[in-house]
Amino acid sequence: MNLDLLAIAPEAILTLAVVVLLLVDVQFHPGHRWWGLAAGLGLFGATAASVLQWVDFRGADGEAFFGGMMLVDGFSSFAGMVIFPLTGLALMTAWPLVRRLEGRGAEFVTLVLIAATGADLMAGAGNLVMLFVGLEVFSISLYVLAGFTRDRVDSDEAALKYFLLGGLASAIFLYGVALVFAATGSLSINGIGEYLDTTVLLRPGILLAGIALLVVGLGFKVSAAPFHVWAPDVYQGAPGAVTGFLASSAKVAGFAALARVLTVALGARIDDWAPAVAVIAALSIVIGTLLALAQTDLKRMLAYSSVAHAGFILSALVAGASGVPDMWFYVATYSVQVLAAFAVAAVVSGPAVGRAPLTDYAGLSARSPFLAAMLGLTMLAMGGIPVTAGFVGKVAVFRSAIDAGYLWLVITGVVATVAGLFFYLRVIVLMYMQPAAEPPGTPGGRLSVPLGAGIALTMAALVTLLAGLVPWPLLEWLRDALPL
């Protein structure tokens, strides 16, 4: 295959799928089965193209295409191999909502596919302008999805809040791009790195201000503290079927962009940004854990939990490029776990509903043993219990932080992990040791699990257990084949 075509094959295939899906839907109104077929073929094709990229570019220096706007290497290929299957699982869990939306379901599916395209563009961007374009394509789709149901005030409020704060974060990121360009004369990620490697800046004030604004802008996207204020309200207000995709894809895309910018473009200035990133990581871990303890709604608890997990992931990045494989292991496995947790919430509370009170999960093991087992496994993995992927991920990022000399950050993370077990285990206690609010046979009795959600949860459980029981193949694979 022509390498220029291969470089944009995942995005081109998904864009083609979106166009064909909409044209056929407008002309023939074939219904939700067609939407599923078109989306499935598009995501399968995009995943296959990412695998081809991985085969050609893993373990080698990446290549720049289209005037340096796109980079294809093991890093961007692995991002595609995570993002597109994750999008497929998210659509499977959201399908009850898609069917309920009737004619608007096609718009919902296309927005999800466009968001996935933007997320992959962020991971493969070779230029800060291209990164901004990918960021906006991704973010604007999520703003619309957060308020897609249009029949709840809290959903509209979530979408508006996400849009306003997201717009502010994008503006901050763009100011950072302008200042970095003023200091280095380049917008190319590789070009900035080469300039800083060979040039001594006698007055680095503008560059440092630019770095700070870039970190703030991307820190908002990954909901790291203190830029996390949007996350609880948006997670709680968005339709249950949307929240999993929103939470997982934002982590993958945001951390892919953050890792590329910090370790490639600004790797020479690691002594300047690593201490600041370590402080943000510690703040995220502490604030996320403490606020999650006080929540009475599962979605808000998971929102604050995601703030803490953003801190754990940032702990790997303080080691620079050597911490990127450990970051990827954590991001890839955590994104599956958080998608599974929100999938259970969507089944229990409803795919179009926002709130998910913890009291709804009392006695869930009697109403649906399968859902209780899946949510229980997810809570154990997020809490970092051994034999799950969450435990391996935490050990990996802590090791990176220790290698970089940030022992105090690791101690903070370990203490927060122990404290965080309280709110994860509280959910398990509710499900298995508390009676259901209503006995089986009533409207609040046994729950039926949609086929798509059942498949997605089963696959998420397999990933969580396999990555926890035999993590070495994936870790070694990432270290050998993911140089930046």
Side-chain angles (χ1 to χ4, degrees):
M1 182 183 289
N2 180 286
L3 288 182
D4 282 343
L5 182 58
L6 180 61
I8 58 164
E11 291 83 4
I13 291 171
L14 269 193
T15 304
L16 180 65
V18 166
V19 172
V20 172
L21 189 156
L22 288 178
L23 287 177
V24 173
D25 187 69
V26 169
Q27 185 66 29
F28 301 105
H29 308 292
H32 65 90
R33 289 188 177 82
W34 162 247
W35 307 335
L37 177 64
L41 289 175
L43 289 169
F44 178 79
T47 305
S50 297
V51 172
L52 286 177
Q53 290 180 343
W54 174 267
V55 171
D56 282 350
F57 293 97
R58 63 173 180 166
D61 292 335
E63 285 193 33
F65 296 89
F66 303 103
M69 299 301 281
M70 292 294 296
L71 293 175
V72 181
D73 49 20
F75 184 90
S76 61
S77 306
F78 186 78
M81 291 160 58
V82 174
I83 290 168
F84 299 127
L86 200 65
T87 305
L89 294 179
L91 274 177
M92 290 169 71
T93 62
W95 211 248
L97 176 63
V98 173
R99 297 180 65 175
R100 186 180 300 181
L101 289 169
E102 298 181 343
R104 296 176 63 226
E107 302 166 27
F108 181 95
V109 175
T110 55
L111 281 170
V112 171
L113 297 183
I114 292 171
T117 305
D120 196 54
L121 278 177
M122 289 174 67
N127 186 290
L128 292 177
V129 172
M130 178 54 74
L131 174 55
F132 180 73
V133 170
L135 180 67
E136 289 305 290
V137 170
F138 175 66
S139 300
I140 291 172
S141 303
L142 292 186
Y143 302 153
V144 180
L145 286 170
F148 201 81
T149 52
R150 298 192 307 196
D151 57 356
R152 287 187 294 108
V153 174
D154 57 342
S155 179
D156 296 339
E157 180 184 339
L160 182 61
K161 186 175 291 186
Y162 197 16
F163 169 69
L164 293 176
L165 293 177
L168 176 64
S170 296
I172 291 172
F173 177 81
L174 208 51
Y175 276 121
V177 172
L179 292 180
V180 170
F181 176 73
T184 64
S186 177
L187 289 171
S188 163
I189 289 178
N190 284 335
I192 294 168
E194 291 168 4
Y195 179 84
L196 294 178
D197 281 338
T198 57
T199 306
V200 176
L201 295 178
L202 298 179
R203 294 180 178 177
I206 293 177
L207 176 66
L208 295 179
I211 293 173
L213 294 180
L214 291 181
V215 171
V216 170
L218 292 175
F220 173 91
K221 299 300 175 185
V222 301
S223 65
F227 321 113
H228 66 286
V229 291
W230 61 275
D233 291 344
V234 173
Y235 282 23
Q236 187 181 39
V242 171
T243 321
F245 176 69
L246 190 155
S248 57
S249 61
K251 281 284 187 294
V252 177
F255 275 108
L258 198 55
R260 173 100 60 189
V261 169
L262 289 180
T263 61
V264 178
L266 305 171
R269 307 295 301 197
I270 187 171
D271 291 339
D272 294 320
W273 57 257
V277 169
V279 171
I280 293 173
L283 278 176
S284 302
I285 292 169
V286 173
I287 291 175
T289 302
L290 289 178
L291 293 181
L293 289 170
Q295 302 307 311
T296 57
D297 183 286
L298 182 68
K299 291 173 75 175
R300 289 188 73 87
M301 190 206 83
L302 289 173
Y304 284 113
S305 162
S306 82
V307 176
H309 283 285
F312 289 125
I313 300 168
L314 285 171
S315 301
L317 279 183
V318 299
S322 62
V324 171
D326 294 331
M327 179 213 81
W328 262 128
F329 183 92
Y330 201 117
V331 170
T333 53
Y334 170 72
S335 60
V336 173
Q337 294 159 20
V338 75
L339 180 67
F342 280 116
V344 174
V347 175
V348 174
S349 301
V353 175
R355 298 181 184 278
L358 282 173
T359 50
D360 287 355
Y361 296 82
L364 183 62
S365 61
R367 300 161 59 198
S368 175
F370 175 73
L371 288 179
M374 294 299 103
L375 186 57
L377 175 63
T378 303
M379 293 294 104
L380 292 176
M382 287 186 178
I385 298 299
V387 309
T388 65
F391 173 77
V392 180
K394 282 189 171 60
V395 171
V397 298
F398 288 161
R399 181 182 56 190
S400 288
I402 290 174
D403 291 344
Y406 288 91
L407 182 61
W408 63 269
L409 179 57
V410 174
I411 294 172
T412 304
V414 171
V415 173
T417 298
V418 175
L421 286 175
F422 171 78
F423 53 80
Y424 292 123
L425 294 180
R426 181 175 56 170
V427 176
I428 296 175
V429 169
L430 273 173
M431 292 191 298
Y432 285 95
M433 299 182 185
Q434 296 291 325
E438 295 178 82
T442 66
R446 293 194 70 83
L447 290 166
S448 62
V449 182
L451 178 62
I455 295 173
L457 287 169
T458 303
M459 295 181 70
L462 288 175
V463 170
T464 300
L465 288 174
L466 283 177
L469 291 170
V470 283
W472 304 278
L474 179 56
L475 280 169
E476 293 301 322
W477 189 40
L478 286 171
R479 288 200 182 92
D480 294 341
L482 205 63
L484 266 174

